[in-house]
Amino acid sequence: MGTYAVTGAASGMGAAVAARLADDGHTVIGVDIKAADVTADLSTPGGRTTAAREVLDRAGGVLDGAVLAAGLGPAPGRDRSRLIAEVNYLGVVELLDAWRPALAAAGSGRAKVVVFSSNSTTTVPMVPRRAVRALLDRDVPRALRTLDRFGRMAPTFAYGASKIAVSQWVRREAVTRAWAGAGIRLNAIAPGAIRTPLLEQQLATPEEAERIRSFPVPIGGFGDPGQLAAWVVFMLSDAADFLCGSVVFVDGGSDAWFRADDWPRAVPAVRLRRYLNRMKEFRAQR
């Protein structure tokens, strides 16, 4: 049995994951803004520092895995874009930076990390690249300056940017010596519309409900948190030892609906030099 940290453990998909791991006999250290083993506000630097430190204290410096499920969705409010950027991006990367040594201490190939992304990464159009780049640079004020010009749509684009940025961070970091080289498997899961408290709140508003129900989900309906929890537990298991840097879409087919021909694709000639350079980098590291 292992020790796992789960953020967003008090509700929704995070709660489902925490319950599933606990039922399987693992030790779960839940992190949330309330009703958790570690209570911390991930929208603040102090809250993130507290969460990182207290989890390590409770785990005794060794983690077998982590699930970063805490997140905020689009909603009205002047400060919403900032909260989304802080929680959805910095609330993932800063905690994983702090926990990486404890994950490496679990032993080569044993530690697994699952980050919650979203199918909004590929289904929300016009997400500004500048905002994504700013988040990857961990420069939230710069990201917000880009997003502010979108007015009331800013939180929607902030959400998309935060999930694109965190997915790209996972892809970049997963294959490095610090992660793959240390025996840690880092991957992301990209859910679609899942019946969480956030979705139920949106469905309670007629305008929002109409928009959500008209969104393409080829198999129909909404996902269940328990289904996502089963996927996450699989991604934390020994069966996922060869899974590295993947973003797994569990969204009823929405991503495939929008970009059936976009992925996978062959390396285009204009990127051949970059491809060959990456090959050289890999050989040099061996």
Side-chain angles (χ1 to χ4, degrees), residues 160-280:
S162 72
K163 294 301 185 178
I164 292 171
V166 83
S167 299
Q168 291 184 358
W169 182 88
V170 166
R171 298 273 289 170
R172 292 178 180 185
E173 294 295 321
V175 297
T176 64
R177 285 183 176 181
W179 290 90
I184 309 167
R185 303 295 180 261
L186 174 60
N187 296 284
I189 190 165
I194 310 298
R195 279 201 174 272
T196 61
L198 173 61
L199 180 62
E200 296 293 353
Q201 181 181 357
Q202 292 172 324
L203 291 173
T205 305
E207 182 180 349
E208 280 285 293
E210 182 179 357
R211 181 183 62 82
I212 292 169
R213 294 186 187 280
S214 65
F215 190 81
V217 181
I219 69 167
F222 304 114
D224 180 81
Q227 295 170 334
L228 266 294
W231 270 98
V232 171
V233 169
F234 166 76
M235 294 170 72
L236 296 172
S237 73
D238 292 344
D241 281 354
F242 208 54
L243 193 67
C244 177
S246 293
V247 181
V248 179
F249 283 79
V250 185
D251 69 347
S254 299
D255 171 66
W257 174 270
F258 281 103
R259 60 170 198 147
D261 298 329
D262 292 349
W263 181 263
R265 62 171 58 184
V267 178
V270 294
R271 293 193 178 182
L272 182 57
R273 185 182 298 275
R274 178 184 175 189
Y275 176 85
L276 294 174
N277 287 338
R278 292 291 285 171
M279 289 290 291
K280 289 178 182 178

Side-chain angles (χ1 to χ4, degrees), residues 122-198:
T122 59
T123 63
V124 175
M126 296 171 29
V127 175
R129 292 183 181 181
R130 288 183 179 181
V132 175
R133 289 194 294 266
L135 290 177
L136 286 167
D137 291 339
R138 307 194 186 191
D139 190 340
V140 170
R142 176 156 59 94
L144 295 179
R145 287 195 296 271
T146 298
L147 293 163
D148 282 346
R149 64 189 178 92
F150 292 96
R152 65 184 183 87
M153 290 297 294
T156 297
F157 290 126
Y159 181 80
S162 72
K163 294 301 185 178
I164 292 171
V166 83
S167 299
Q168 291 184 358
W169 182 88
V170 166
R171 298 273 289 170
R172 292 178 180 185
E173 294 295 321
V175 297
T176 64
R177 285 183 176 181
W179 290 90
I184 309 167
R185 303 295 180 261
L186 174 60
N187 296 284
I189 190 165
I194 310 298
R195 279 201 174 272
T196 61
L198 173 61

Side-chain angles (χ1 to χ4, degrees), residues 28-64:
V28 178
I29 305 171
V31 179
D32 214 311
I33 197 167
K34 61 181 179 180
D37 302 303
V38 175
T39 55
D41 183 355
L42 298 184
S43 72
T44 67
R48 295 190 291 271
T49 299
T50 296
R53 182 185 65 250
E54 291 194 15
V55 165
L56 291 175
D57 288 346
R58 287 172 175 264
V62 179
L63 282 170
D64 296 284

